Amino acid sequence: MVSKSKSNSNIKEEKDLPSINGIPKELLPLLKTDPDTGLTESEYQERLEKFGKNEIAEKKKNKFLHFLSFFGGSIAFLIDFALILTAITKDWVNFGIIGALLFLNAFIGWFEESKAESAVDSLKNSLALKCKVWRDSKLIEIDSKFLVPGDVVIIRLGDIVPADALLLGVGVDGSETEVDLLVDQAGLTGESLPVQKAKDDMIYSSSVVKQGQMKAIVVNTGENTFIGKAASLIAITNEPGHFQVIINTIGNFLVYITIAMVLVIFVYLFMKRLSMNNMKFNKEILLKSLEDVVVLTVAAIPVGLPTVLSVTMAVGSNQLAKKNVIVKRLTAVEEMASISILCSDKTGTLTMNKLTFDEPFLKDDYTSEDLLFFAYLAAEPATADPIESAVRTAATTQVEKLKNLKDHKVPGYKVLSFTPFDPCTKMTKSKIMDLSDKSEFQVAKGAPQVIINLCNGDDEATNMVNKMAERGFRALGVAINRTDSKDGWELVGLISLLDPPRPDSAATIKKCHELGISIKMITGDQMVIAKEVAARLGMHQVILGAEKLVDPNLSDKEKRRRCFRADGFSEVIPEHKFMIIENLQDRGHIVGMTGDGVNDAPALKKSNVGIAVHGSTDAARAAADIILLESGLSSIIDGIMVSRAIFQRMRSYALYRITSTIHFLIFFFVITLAFNWQMSPSLLILIAVLNDAATIVIAFDNAQVSKSPDKWRIGQLITLSFILGLLLSFLSFAVFFVARDIYDVPSNSLFMDKHEMKSLDNRMQSIIYLNISSAPHFVIFSTRLSDFFFKNMPSLTFTVAVISTQVFATILCAVGIEGFVDKIGFGWGSVLLGISFIFFIILDVVKVYIMRYWSFELVAKMWPTRKHRNKISNRIKQKKRSARISKTLQKIRVAMKINYLASLANN
C-alpha cells in the first residue's frame, strides 16, 4: 500500500509551483487528500457548500414571460398599437380580427422555439451518472453530481470521467500502476485518437476511458470543468438570429412610414372636422378621426408577413425531414440559404474518426497482403487499443486467408508464444509454427524505428518513416525472423494508418464551392494531420495553428483577416472555435458550423446555422439548429438547395408585401388629403385578409435556386418595392380619375354622414377595391424571380390560389352585396381585372431592368460613404488575390504534368 507521505508527493507543494497543469494555486491545498482514506464527511460537506454540486447550473426562463416576448418586434408593436386604437374606438369586429392575427403570429414563434431542447441541459446530462469514490476510508458508489474538489475517485476501462481530475499514478489497491490510461477525449478536444494519460496528467469530465485503471483526485467540478466552460460559452450566446434582424429591419421601415403617414392623415381629419364644427372640440370628433385612421393602419400593416414566412419555412423543414435533415429552429431554414462560409469539425465529421490502413511501404517482393498477414500474427487480440484494432480490421477484410476468422486462430498456423506490447521495447512479438511443414518463424510489430533497428537499419525505410510523420500518419513496422535465414530479422514493410475522410466529404466540399460556399476545416489535431486531410479533400492547405489566433500582439482586425483567409485551423479548443466563428461573423459573413462533439457545442451555438452530424453527442445536437440523420455531409447539400428555394419564396413574398404596403399608403395618403375620399373599412379589411390568406400557398410554389449564397439586400428590396409601389399608385389614381371624370362615377366625401353615404352611389368604392385588390396581387407573379416571370412558371397550386381570389373579388364587385359593396357589373369587373394583369407585365419589365443594372458598385457611386469605398477596395484586392492564386495553381499543374511526362519517358 502507498503511504500517506507518498500520496502527498503526488501533489507538489505550493511553494514549488504556482500551478500544476493549469490548476489554480488556491486549489492546491485542497488536493492533498490521502488516496487510501479520501475525504471525511465533514470535509465533504464543507466543500459541497463552498463549490456546489458537480453539475451545470440550469437557467430556466419564465414560460409566461417567454411567451409574451413573442408579442414584440416592429410589426407586432404596430399591431399592438392598432389593437389599442380599435378598443378605444369600440370597433370590436376589427379588434377581434387584429387580436387573432397577433396571437397566431406569437403562438407560431413560441411553438417552434419551444420544441428545441436546452443545450445546457444536454451538457449537464452528458456527465457520468455514477462513480466510485473514497470517503472515510471506504470505497463507495455515489451520484457524480455529489463530487467535490479533493475527492479521490477510481477511473477504469469503460468509465465516463465524472469531473476534471488529476491522475495519481496508483491503482485501486494503492500500488503503482504499470500501464497508463488511454482516454478518448475526441468529443472534447477534437483529437482523432485516444490520448495516453500518466501520473500527474489531467483527465477531463465526459471523456471515456479506453484502457487501464487508476486513482485520480478531483480538481474541478460543475461549471469549472472543461465541459462547464463550454456550457458557459453557450449561455452567453443569445444574439438575435439573422432572420429576426431582417424581419425587424423590414418591419421598422414599414412601421416608420405607416406611422408618419397615418399621423399626418389623423391630424388632417381631426382639424378638418374641428373646423367644420366651428373649432369646438368634442369626443365624437376625436373618435371618428381615430376610427378612420385605425382601419387604414390595419389595412396597411403587413399582419400576415410573419405568418406567411413562418408557414413557408415550416413547409421547407418538412421537405428537409424527408431527406433526413431535422430542423430544430425554424428560422435556420432561411439562414442556411445565406451561408457564405461553412466551418466544419474534422474528426468524426469530415473524417471517419477511425484509424484505417493506408498506402504501405513494402520491402523486396512483399505485398500489402503479406504485410497485413504478418502484422495480424503479431497483433494482440483482446486489447481495445485503436491501432491494434485498425490492424486487425484491415487484415481480416483485405487478406483472403484471414476472412471469417474465429477466435483469432489462423488456419494452417499455430501461435507458440506471444509477447504483448511493452512500453520499454515498444513492440509485440510472436513465435509461429507453419503447420504445413512444421517450420517456425518469429514476427515483430511495433514502433517503426525500433523495428528498423531490429533489422540492423534501413535508410530507405527511415526516410519513409520521416515522410509519413510529416504527413501525419501513424506508422508501424513489421519484421520477420525465419529459422532457416542467416540474416536474422528481415523488414517486411511499414504500415501507415490515418483517420480517413468520409467517402462523400470531398464531393460535398466540391459542391459547396460550386454553390459559392467557402469551407474551413477546424480540428484539435496537429497541423501535419490537418494538412494531409485537407489535401485528400481537395482543399487548399493554408492551415493556421491555434497560437496564430490568440497572439496578443495582433489587432482584432488582423485576427478577423487571418480567420477569413485560412482554409483550416489546427490544435484548437472550444474557445478557439467560438472565436473563429465570431471573427468571421464580424466580417459580415453568414457562418455555418458542422460538428459532433461537446467541443463543437459552443461554436454550433454561436454560428448562424449549427449543424450536428450523424452520431453526434447530445450536447452537439442540443446546441445545433439542424441535425443530420444520415452519415456524412452530403445531406447538407440537400439542405442548402431546399433552403435556397425557400429563401426565394420568402423574398418574393416580402417584395410583394412591401410593394403592396407602399402602394396602399401612397394612394390613400394622397386621396384622403387631396380629395377627402376613403374606402369603406370593411373593404379595407377584406383586402388585407383575403390577399394574405391566398399568398400563404407561396410555400408550395416553384422556385429558382440561386448558384451563390442568397442575401436579402434590404436597400435593393426597399428601393424596388418603392418604385413598383409608386407605379401601382399611378395606376390606382388613373382608375379613380377615369371613373370619376370620364364615366361620371361619383366620389363621395368621407365627411358625409353615414346615412347620406348609404343613400348615394358608392360604385367608386367597388372600383377602387377591385383595383387595389388585383393589381398588387398579380405583381407576386413578377417578384418570384429577378428575371422575366415566364422564365420560371409558378406552380399550379399557387396560380389557382392567386387567380381564384381575384376572380372572387371580381364576381363580388360585379354582382354586389347590399350594404357591403355596390354592383358595378361584369363589364367593369373584367376590364379592371384585365388592366391589372397587363400592368403586372409592364411592372415585370421594369423590375428586370432595375435588377440587371443594380449592383453594389452602382450604390457606392450614388452614395460614396467611407464604408462603401472600403468595401469596393476590399473586393478589388480579393479579385487580385484570387487571380494570383489561380495563376499559381495553373503553374503548379503544368509543372506536375511535365514531371509526370518526364517520369514516363524515363521509364
Side-chain angles (χ1 to χ4, degrees), residues 323-351:
K323 298 178 181 292
N324 290 317
V325 179
I326 303 301
V327 178
K328 283 179 53 188
R329 179 173 60 86
L330 199 60
T331 55
V333 175
E334 176 270 338
E335 290 167 6
M336 195 172 188
S338 302
I339 290 175
S340 57
I341 295 177
L342 181 63
C343 296
S344 179
D345 172 57
K346 179 188 75 69
T347 307
T349 304
L350 291 174
T351 64

PDB file of all heavy atoms in Angstrom, residues 323-351:
ATOM      1  N   LYS A 323     -35.608  14.253 -46.275  1.00  0.00           N
ATOM      2  CA  LYS A 323     -34.236  13.972 -46.704  1.00  0.00           C
ATOM      3  C   LYS A 323     -33.329  13.689 -45.508  1.00  0.00           C
ATOM      4  O   LYS A 323     -32.112  13.812 -45.587  1.00  0.00           O
ATOM      5  CB  LYS A 323     -33.700  15.173 -47.503  1.00  0.00           C
ATOM      6  CG  LYS A 323     -34.477  15.470 -48.779  1.00  0.00           C
ATOM      7  CD  LYS A 323     -33.927  16.704 -49.481  1.00  0.00           C
ATOM      8  CE  LYS A 323     -34.719  17.012 -50.747  1.00  0.00           C
ATOM      9  NZ  LYS A 323     -34.511  15.988 -51.785  1.00  0.00           N
ATOM     10  N   ASN A 324     -33.947  13.344 -44.358  1.00  0.00           N
ATOM     11  CA  ASN A 324     -33.227  13.018 -43.126  1.00  0.00           C
ATOM     12  C   ASN A 324     -32.417  14.197 -42.585  1.00  0.00           C
ATOM     13  O   ASN A 324     -31.340  14.026 -42.038  1.00  0.00           O
ATOM     14  CB  ASN A 324     -32.305  11.808 -43.337  1.00  0.00           C
ATOM     15  CG  ASN A 324     -33.091  10.528 -43.516  1.00  0.00           C
ATOM     16  OD1 ASN A 324     -34.055  10.285 -42.806  1.00  0.00           O
ATOM     17  ND2 ASN A 324     -32.699   9.724 -44.489  1.00  0.00           N
ATOM     18  N   VAL A 325     -32.967  15.395 -42.773  1.00  0.00           N
ATOM     19  CA  VAL A 325     -32.393  16.607 -42.198  1.00  0.00           C
ATOM     20  C   VAL A 325     -33.453  17.210 -41.281  1.00  0.00           C
ATOM     21  O   VAL A 325     -34.484  17.679 -41.741  1.00  0.00           O
ATOM     22  CB  VAL A 325     -31.993  17.631 -43.289  1.00  0.00           C
ATOM     23  CG1 VAL A 325     -31.430  18.892 -42.657  1.00  0.00           C
ATOM     24  CG2 VAL A 325     -30.982  17.012 -44.249  1.00  0.00           C
ATOM     25  N   ILE A 326     -33.194  17.180 -39.971  1.00  0.00           N
ATOM     26  CA  ILE A 326     -34.178  17.644 -38.990  1.00  0.00           C
ATOM     27  C   ILE A 326     -33.870  19.091 -38.606  1.00  0.00           C
ATOM     28  O   ILE A 326     -32.754  19.414 -38.178  1.00  0.00           O
ATOM     29  CB  ILE A 326     -34.164  16.764 -37.729  1.00  0.00           C
ATOM     30  CG1 ILE A 326     -34.438  15.308 -38.120  1.00  0.00           C
ATOM     31  CG2 ILE A 326     -35.188  17.256 -36.718  1.00  0.00           C
ATOM     32  CD1 ILE A 326     -35.745  15.070 -38.827  1.00  0.00           C
ATOM     33  N   VAL A 327     -34.865  19.967 -38.759  1.00  0.00           N
ATOM     34  CA  VAL A 327     -34.710  21.389 -38.431  1.00  0.00           C
ATOM     35  C   VAL A 327     -35.282  21.632 -37.047  1.00  0.00           C
ATOM     36  O   VAL A 327     -36.475  21.412 -36.811  1.00  0.00           O
ATOM     37  CB  VAL A 327     -35.427  22.281 -39.461  1.00  0.00           C
ATOM     38  CG1 VAL A 327     -35.305  23.746 -39.070  1.00  0.00           C
ATOM     39  CG2 VAL A 327     -34.841  22.040 -40.849  1.00  0.00           C
ATOM     40  N   LYS A 328     -34.431  22.068 -36.114  1.00  0.00           N
ATOM     41  CA  LYS A 328     -34.887  22.360 -34.757  1.00  0.00           C
ATOM     42  C   LYS A 328     -35.357  23.800 -34.618  1.00  0.00           C
ATOM     43  O   LYS A 328     -36.313  24.078 -33.901  1.00  0.00           O
ATOM     44  CB  LYS A 328     -33.745  22.120 -33.768  1.00  0.00           C
ATOM     45  CG  LYS A 328     -33.478  20.679 -33.444  1.00  0.00           C
ATOM     46  CD  LYS A 328     -32.309  20.556 -32.484  1.00  0.00           C
ATOM     47  CE  LYS A 328     -32.518  21.428 -31.265  1.00  0.00           C
ATOM     48  NZ  LYS A 328     -31.337  21.473 -30.410  1.00  0.00           N
ATOM     49  N   ARG A 329     -34.641  24.727 -35.256  1.00  0.00           N
ATOM     50  CA  ARG A 329     -35.012  26.145 -35.195  1.00  0.00           C
ATOM     51  C   ARG A 329     -35.493  26.555 -36.573  1.00  0.00           C
ATOM     52  O   ARG A 329     -34.730  26.537 -37.538  1.00  0.00           O
ATOM     53  CB  ARG A 329     -33.818  26.998 -34.749  1.00  0.00           C
ATOM     54  CG  ARG A 329     -34.112  28.492 -34.671  1.00  0.00           C
ATOM     55  CD  ARG A 329     -32.955  29.249 -34.056  1.00  0.00           C
ATOM     56  NE  ARG A 329     -31.736  29.100 -34.819  1.00  0.00           N
ATOM     57  CZ  ARG A 329     -31.395  29.862 -35.857  1.00  0.00           C
ATOM     58  NH1 ARG A 329     -32.193  30.816 -36.273  1.00  0.00           N
ATOM     59  NH2 ARG A 329     -30.251  29.652 -36.489  1.00  0.00           N
ATOM     60  N   LEU A 330     -36.745  26.948 -36.668  1.00  0.00           N
ATOM     61  CA  LEU A 330     -37.391  27.151 -37.961  1.00  0.00           C
ATOM     62  C   LEU A 330     -36.656  28.184 -38.814  1.00  0.00           C
ATOM     63  O   LEU A 330     -36.503  28.001 -40.019  1.00  0.00           O
ATOM     64  CB  LEU A 330     -38.841  27.588 -37.741  1.00  0.00           C
ATOM     65  CG  LEU A 330     -39.788  27.411 -38.927  1.00  0.00           C
ATOM     66  CD1 LEU A 330     -39.865  25.956 -39.337  1.00  0.00           C
ATOM     67  CD2 LEU A 330     -41.173  27.932 -38.585  1.00  0.00           C
ATOM     68  N   THR A 331     -36.204  29.282 -38.212  1.00  0.00           N
ATOM     69  CA  THR A 331     -35.560  30.344 -38.996  1.00  0.00           C
ATOM     70  C   THR A 331     -34.218  29.905 -39.587  1.00  0.00           C
ATOM     71  O   THR A 331     -33.694  30.580 -40.466  1.00  0.00           O
ATOM     72  CB  THR A 331     -35.341  31.602 -38.132  1.00  0.00           C
ATOM     73  OG1 THR A 331     -34.610  31.251 -36.954  1.00  0.00           O
ATOM     74  CG2 THR A 331     -36.675  32.209 -37.726  1.00  0.00           C
ATOM     75  N   ALA A 332     -33.682  28.765 -39.118  1.00  0.00           N
ATOM     76  CA  ALA A 332     -32.433  28.255 -39.687  1.00  0.00           C
ATOM     77  C   ALA A 332     -32.606  27.878 -41.152  1.00  0.00           C
ATOM     78  O   ALA A 332     -31.641  27.857 -41.914  1.00  0.00           O
ATOM     79  CB  ALA A 332     -31.930  27.051 -38.892  1.00  0.00           C
ATOM     80  N   VAL A 333     -33.850  27.582 -41.564  1.00  0.00           N
ATOM     81  CA  VAL A 333     -34.112  27.245 -42.968  1.00  0.00           C
ATOM     82  C   VAL A 333     -33.748  28.426 -43.855  1.00  0.00           C
ATOM     83  O   VAL A 333     -33.112  28.271 -44.905  1.00  0.00           O
ATOM     84  CB  VAL A 333     -35.601  26.867 -43.159  1.00  0.00           C
ATOM     85  CG1 VAL A 333     -35.904  26.629 -44.626  1.00  0.00           C
ATOM     86  CG2 VAL A 333     -35.934  25.624 -42.350  1.00  0.00           C
ATOM     87  N   GLU A 334     -34.146  29.634 -43.432  1.00  0.00           N
ATOM     88  CA  GLU A 334     -33.814  30.832 -44.205  1.00  0.00           C
ATOM     89  C   GLU A 334     -32.331  31.148 -44.121  1.00  0.00           C
ATOM     90  O   GLU A 334     -31.688  31.470 -45.123  1.00  0.00           O
ATOM     91  CB  GLU A 334     -34.642  32.020 -43.680  1.00  0.00           C
ATOM     92  CG  GLU A 334     -34.319  33.343 -44.340  1.00  0.00           C
ATOM     93  CD  GLU A 334     -33.205  34.113 -43.629  1.00  0.00           C
ATOM     94  OE1 GLU A 334     -32.960  33.870 -42.444  1.00  0.00           O
ATOM     95  OE2 GLU A 334     -32.555  34.947 -44.293  1.00  0.00           O
ATOM     96  N   GLU A 335     -31.748  31.049 -42.928  1.00  0.00           N
ATOM     97  CA  GLU A 335     -30.359  31.431 -42.726  1.00  0.00           C
ATOM     98  C   GLU A 335     -29.396  30.501 -43.458  1.00  0.00           C
ATOM     99  O   GLU A 335     -28.325  30.909 -43.890  1.00  0.00           O
ATOM    100  CB  GLU A 335     -30.058  31.480 -41.226  1.00  0.00           C
ATOM    101  CG  GLU A 335     -30.763  32.641 -40.547  1.00  0.00           C
ATOM    102  CD  GLU A 335     -30.739  32.550 -39.033  1.00  0.00           C
ATOM    103  OE1 GLU A 335     -30.071  31.645 -38.503  1.00  0.00           O
ATOM    104  OE2 GLU A 335     -31.394  33.383 -38.383  1.00  0.00           O
ATOM    105  N   MET A 336     -29.792  29.237 -43.628  1.00  0.00           N
ATOM    106  CA  MET A 336     -28.936  28.279 -44.331  1.00  0.00           C
ATOM    107  C   MET A 336     -28.738  28.691 -45.790  1.00  0.00           C
ATOM    108  O   MET A 336     -27.687  28.431 -46.377  1.00  0.00           O
ATOM    109  CB  MET A 336     -29.543  26.883 -44.250  1.00  0.00           C
ATOM    110  CG  MET A 336     -28.567  25.777 -44.619  1.00  0.00           C
ATOM    111  SD  MET A 336     -29.269  24.152 -44.286  1.00  0.00           S
ATOM    112  CE  MET A 336     -27.843  23.101 -44.561  1.00  0.00           C
ATOM    113  N   ALA A 337     -29.728  29.346 -46.368  1.00  0.00           N
ATOM    114  CA  ALA A 337     -29.613  29.791 -47.762  1.00  0.00           C
ATOM    115  C   ALA A 337     -28.588  30.893 -47.921  1.00  0.00           C
ATOM    116  O   ALA A 337     -28.056  31.101 -49.010  1.00  0.00           O
ATOM    117  CB  ALA A 337     -30.981  30.288 -48.255  1.00  0.00           C
ATOM    118  N   SER A 338     -28.280  31.593 -46.820  1.00  0.00           N
ATOM    119  CA  SER A 338     -27.379  32.742 -46.888  1.00  0.00           C
ATOM    120  C   SER A 338     -25.959  32.409 -46.442  1.00  0.00           C
ATOM    121  O   SER A 338     -25.099  33.298 -46.413  1.00  0.00           O
ATOM    122  CB  SER A 338     -27.927  33.882 -46.018  1.00  0.00           C
ATOM    123  OG  SER A 338     -29.223  34.247 -46.431  1.00  0.00           O
ATOM    124  N   ILE A 339     -25.701  31.147 -46.073  1.00  0.00           N
ATOM    125  CA  ILE A 339     -24.363  30.767 -45.600  1.00  0.00           C
ATOM    126  C   ILE A 339     -23.326  31.015 -46.694  1.00  0.00           C
ATOM    127  O   ILE A 339     -23.443  30.517 -47.807  1.00  0.00           O
ATOM    128  CB  ILE A 339     -24.323  29.283 -45.189  1.00  0.00           C
ATOM    129  CG1 ILE A 339     -25.126  29.062 -43.908  1.00  0.00           C
ATOM    130  CG2 ILE A 339     -22.892  28.811 -44.996  1.00  0.00           C
ATOM    131  CD1 ILE A 339     -25.231  27.607 -43.512  1.00  0.00           C
ATOM    132  N   SER A 340     -22.307  31.796 -46.368  1.00  0.00           N
ATOM    133  CA  SER A 340     -21.205  32.028 -47.307  1.00  0.00           C
ATOM    134  C   SER A 340     -19.943  31.288 -46.880  1.00  0.00           C
ATOM    135  O   SER A 340     -19.049  31.050 -47.689  1.00  0.00           O
ATOM    136  CB  SER A 340     -20.912  33.526 -47.431  1.00  0.00           C
ATOM    137  OG  SER A 340     -20.624  34.088 -46.162  1.00  0.00           O
ATOM    138  N   ILE A 341     -19.853  30.933 -45.584  1.00  0.00           N
ATOM    139  CA  ILE A 341     -18.713  30.173 -45.064  1.00  0.00           C
ATOM    140  C   ILE A 341     -19.252  29.033 -44.206  1.00  0.00           C
ATOM    141  O   ILE A 341     -20.098  29.245 -43.337  1.00  0.00           O
ATOM    142  CB  ILE A 341     -17.771  31.057 -44.222  1.00  0.00           C
ATOM    143  CG1 ILE A 341     -17.125  32.130 -45.088  1.00  0.00           C
ATOM    144  CG2 ILE A 341     -16.699  30.207 -43.544  1.00  0.00           C
ATOM    145  CD1 ILE A 341     -16.243  33.088 -44.330  1.00  0.00           C
ATOM    146  N   LEU A 342     -18.765  27.828 -44.472  1.00  0.00           N
ATOM    147  CA  LEU A 342     -19.146  26.660 -43.684  1.00  0.00           C
ATOM    148  C   LEU A 342     -17.911  26.135 -42.973  1.00  0.00           C
ATOM    149  O   LEU A 342     -16.973  25.636 -43.610  1.00  0.00           O
ATOM    150  CB  LEU A 342     -19.748  25.573 -44.575  1.00  0.00           C
ATOM    151  CG  LEU A 342     -20.214  24.293 -43.868  1.00  0.00           C
ATOM    152  CD1 LEU A 342     -21.336  24.593 -42.883  1.00  0.00           C
ATOM    153  CD2 LEU A 342     -20.655  23.232 -44.873  1.00  0.00           C
ATOM    154  N   CYS A 343     -17.877  26.267 -41.658  1.00  0.00           N
ATOM    155  CA  CYS A 343     -16.789  25.712 -40.858  1.00  0.00           C
ATOM    156  C   CYS A 343     -17.160  24.292 -40.458  1.00  0.00           C
ATOM    157  O   CYS A 343     -18.306  24.046 -40.070  1.00  0.00           O
ATOM    158  CB  CYS A 343     -16.554  26.559 -39.610  1.00  0.00           C
ATOM    159  SG  CYS A 343     -16.004  28.249 -39.953  1.00  0.00           S
ATOM    160  N   SER A 344     -16.202  23.400 -40.553  1.00  0.00           N
ATOM    161  CA  SER A 344     -16.510  22.005 -40.253  1.00  0.00           C
ATOM    162  C   SER A 344     -15.467  21.396 -39.339  1.00  0.00           C
ATOM    163  O   SER A 344     -14.264  21.528 -39.572  1.00  0.00           O
ATOM    164  CB  SER A 344     -16.595  21.177 -41.543  1.00  0.00           C
ATOM    165  OG  SER A 344     -16.866  19.822 -41.242  1.00  0.00           O
ATOM    166  N   ASP A 345     -15.930  20.762 -38.286  1.00  0.00           N
ATOM    167  CA  ASP A 345     -15.055  19.952 -37.457  1.00  0.00           C
ATOM    168  C   ASP A 345     -14.493  18.817 -38.320  1.00  0.00           C
ATOM    169  O   ASP A 345     -15.181  18.312 -39.210  1.00  0.00           O
ATOM    170  CB  ASP A 345     -15.857  19.388 -36.283  1.00  0.00           C
ATOM    171  CG  ASP A 345     -15.064  18.376 -35.482  1.00  0.00           C
ATOM    172  OD1 ASP A 345     -13.983  18.728 -35.003  1.00  0.00           O
ATOM    173  OD2 ASP A 345     -15.544  17.227 -35.346  1.00  0.00           O
ATOM    174  N   LYS A 346     -13.243  18.437 -38.074  1.00  0.00           N
ATOM    175  CA  LYS A 346     -12.637  17.374 -38.887  1.00  0.00           C
ATOM    176  C   LYS A 346     -12.976  15.987 -38.363  1.00  0.00           C
ATOM    177  O   LYS A 346     -13.591  15.184 -39.058  1.00  0.00           O
ATOM    178  CB  LYS A 346     -11.109  17.537 -38.919  1.00  0.00           C
ATOM    179  CG  LYS A 346     -10.402  16.429 -39.727  1.00  0.00           C
ATOM    180  CD  LYS A 346      -8.907  16.488 -39.604  1.00  0.00           C
ATOM    181  CE  LYS A 346      -8.414  15.991 -38.276  1.00  0.00           C
ATOM    182  NZ  LYS A 346      -8.594  14.513 -38.090  1.00  0.00           N
ATOM    183  N   THR A 347     -12.597  15.716 -37.124  1.00  0.00           N
ATOM    184  CA  THR A 347     -12.703  14.375 -36.584  1.00  0.00           C
ATOM    185  C   THR A 347     -14.155  13.964 -36.382  1.00  0.00           C
ATOM    186  O   THR A 347     -14.887  14.589 -35.624  1.00  0.00           O
ATOM    187  CB  THR A 347     -11.952  14.286 -35.233  1.00  0.00           C
ATOM    188  OG1 THR A 347     -10.620  14.764 -35.412  1.00  0.00           O
ATOM    189  CG2 THR A 347     -11.928  12.861 -34.732  1.00  0.00           C
ATOM    190  N   GLY A 348     -14.564  12.928 -37.083  1.00  0.00           N
ATOM    191  CA  GLY A 348     -15.915  12.420 -36.959  1.00  0.00           C
ATOM    192  C   GLY A 348     -16.920  13.113 -37.857  1.00  0.00           C
ATOM    193  O   GLY A 348     -18.053  12.665 -37.980  1.00  0.00           O
ATOM    194  N   THR A 349     -16.509  14.220 -38.490  1.00  0.00           N
ATOM    195  CA  THR A 349     -17.409  14.945 -39.383  1.00  0.00           C
ATOM    196  C   THR A 349     -16.915  14.843 -40.813  1.00  0.00           C
ATOM    197  O   THR A 349     -17.576  14.266 -41.674  1.00  0.00           O
ATOM    198  CB  THR A 349     -17.517  16.425 -38.958  1.00  0.00           C
ATOM    199  OG1 THR A 349     -17.946  16.486 -37.604  1.00  0.00           O
ATOM    200  CG2 THR A 349     -18.510  17.162 -39.845  1.00  0.00           C
ATOM    201  N   LEU A 350     -15.730  15.394 -41.071  1.00  0.00           N
ATOM    202  CA  LEU A 350     -15.117  15.231 -42.391  1.00  0.00           C
ATOM    203  C   LEU A 350     -14.446  13.868 -42.509  1.00  0.00           C
ATOM    204  O   LEU A 350     -14.322  13.320 -43.603  1.00  0.00           O
ATOM    205  CB  LEU A 350     -14.096  16.340 -42.636  1.00  0.00           C
ATOM    206  CG  LEU A 350     -14.652  17.759 -42.812  1.00  0.00           C
ATOM    207  CD1 LEU A 350     -13.511  18.765 -42.894  1.00  0.00           C
ATOM    208  CD2 LEU A 350     -15.527  17.859 -44.043  1.00  0.00           C
ATOM    209  N   THR A 351     -14.002  13.333 -41.363  1.00  0.00           N
ATOM    210  CA  THR A 351     -13.326  12.035 -41.367  1.00  0.00           C
ATOM    211  C   THR A 351     -14.165  11.002 -40.624  1.00  0.00           C
ATOM    212  O   THR A 351     -15.177  11.314 -40.010  1.00  0.00           O
ATOM    213  CB  THR A 351     -11.942  12.135 -40.699  1.00  0.00           C
ATOM    214  OG1 THR A 351     -12.111  12.479 -39.316  1.00  0.00           O
ATOM    215  CG2 THR A 351     -11.086  13.191 -41.385  1.00  0.00           C
TER     216      THR A 351
END
